[in-house]
Amino acid sequence: MKTIAIVTGASSGIGKEFFLSLLKKDEPLDEIWVVARSEENLKALQPLSPLPLRIFALDLSKTESTAILTAALQAENPCVKYLICASGFGRFSAVEDDKTAVLENMIDLNCRSIVSVTKSVCPYLEKGSLVILIASVAAFQPIPYIATYGASKAFVLSYGRAFNRELKKKRGARCLCVCPFWTKTAFFDRAKSEDTIVKKYAVMYEPKQIVTRAWKDAKKKNRDVSVFGLYTRGQRLLVKLLPHRLVMRIWLRQQKLN
């Protein structure tokens, strides 16, 4: 039986950094399955890896893409040591100013695909396996002008924490939700537009910082959420203590939107 890792969103940003970090881990892996929309970008990962890669050029917002991954798992029947779900995107806009299809596609990718992929991989998780879901610090509060993205990440956080308890009980596996603050990735290429209304970023981290912290948190058996940085931890605490109406008012003032 092969022991594999699966990384979605593996071609760039946090997903790529997780892929690179897997190459340095001591646990033996037979293959890494990498998933992203661009086959060209995924093929560019092969020279970086001493391990065989299995490339899945898939758009996970489409239900047929998950079916392809499910069929591959059924054919191989591997042990999935790591599942890292890093696919996703966001938009900076008012709900009424964005296209309905774009917002629905965001929900499909950020939420529905997480459920579909984790459901597909579940039978192949064993004791000690780890699922990592990329949520966001946006999951902790409602954010005007990133409303759909923030809500989708709140879903990921809630789902992942509950899923973690189920995995522990049924399979001896775990799920960790990673909640980064603003991070230097291609996220902004799709989120921004010429007249973007979100322009002020309180802090900007590197993907490697997020991933390094996540692996440290993964070693702590009772940890189901990973956040990096003093600013991020402070933000998480404040939005617990302050009324969300006030939190939104502060956000709007920061962006000069009130």
Side-chain angles (χ1 to χ4, degrees), residues 3-184:
T3 299
I4 70 168
I6 302 174
V7 185
T8 75
S11 62
S12 65
I14 292 174
K16 183 176 181 180
E17 195 60 45
F18 266 113
F19 162 76
L20 293 172
S21 72
L22 286 171
L23 303 178
K24 302 173 186 177
K25 295 194 76 63
D26 294 332
E27 295 93 339
L29 292 171
D30 297 305
E31 285 182 354
I32 301 180
W33 293 11
V34 288
V35 185
R37 290 184 299 168
S38 170
E39 183 174 8
E40 180 181 359
N41 290 344
L42 290 175
K43 285 181 176 179
L45 299 176
Q46 184 65 80
L48 305 176
S49 175
L51 296 171
L53 301 187
R54 184 159 180 181
I55 290 172
F56 293 85
L58 302 172
D59 179 354
L60 290 176
S61 67
K62 299 177 179 178
T63 55
E64 57 266 30
S65 293
T66 310
I68 292 170
L69 190 60
T70 301
L73 287 165
Q74 291 172 344
E76 291 283 350
N77 193 32
C79 164
V80 178
K81 178 68 176 178
Y82 300 106
L83 167 63
I84 299 164
C85 295
S87 295
F89 76 95
R91 295 273 287 185
F92 300 153
S93 68
V95 172
E96 69 171 302
D97 294 336
D98 217 333
K99 296 178 180 178
T100 301
V102 171
L103 298 179
E104 290 178 346
N105 182 251
M106 190 190 306
I107 294 168
D108 282 339
L109 182 59
N110 294 4
C111 301
R112 186 199 53 74
S113 76
I114 290 285
V115 176
S116 297
V117 170
T118 52
K119 173 70 173 174
S120 294
V121 172
C122 248
Y124 309 96
L125 299 174
E126 298 186 352
K127 185 175 182 179
S129 292
L130 177 66
V131 176
I132 295 179
L133 307 182
I134 307 303
S136 168
V137 73
F140 301 125
Q141 65 190 85
I143 308 182
Y145 299 96
I146 322 179
T148 305
Y149 175 78
S152 73
K153 292 303 184 177
F155 172 89
V156 174
L157 178 61
S158 179
Y159 175 81
R161 296 188 74 185
F163 186 52
N164 175 59
R165 296 300 293 267
E166 294 180 11
L167 285 179
K168 278 185 174 182
K169 184 174 179 61
K170 298 193 73 172
R171 294 190 169 271
R174 295 179 53 214
C175 178
L176 179 73
C177 296
V178 178
C179 297
F181 214 98
W182 302 119
T183 307
K184 294 177 185 177

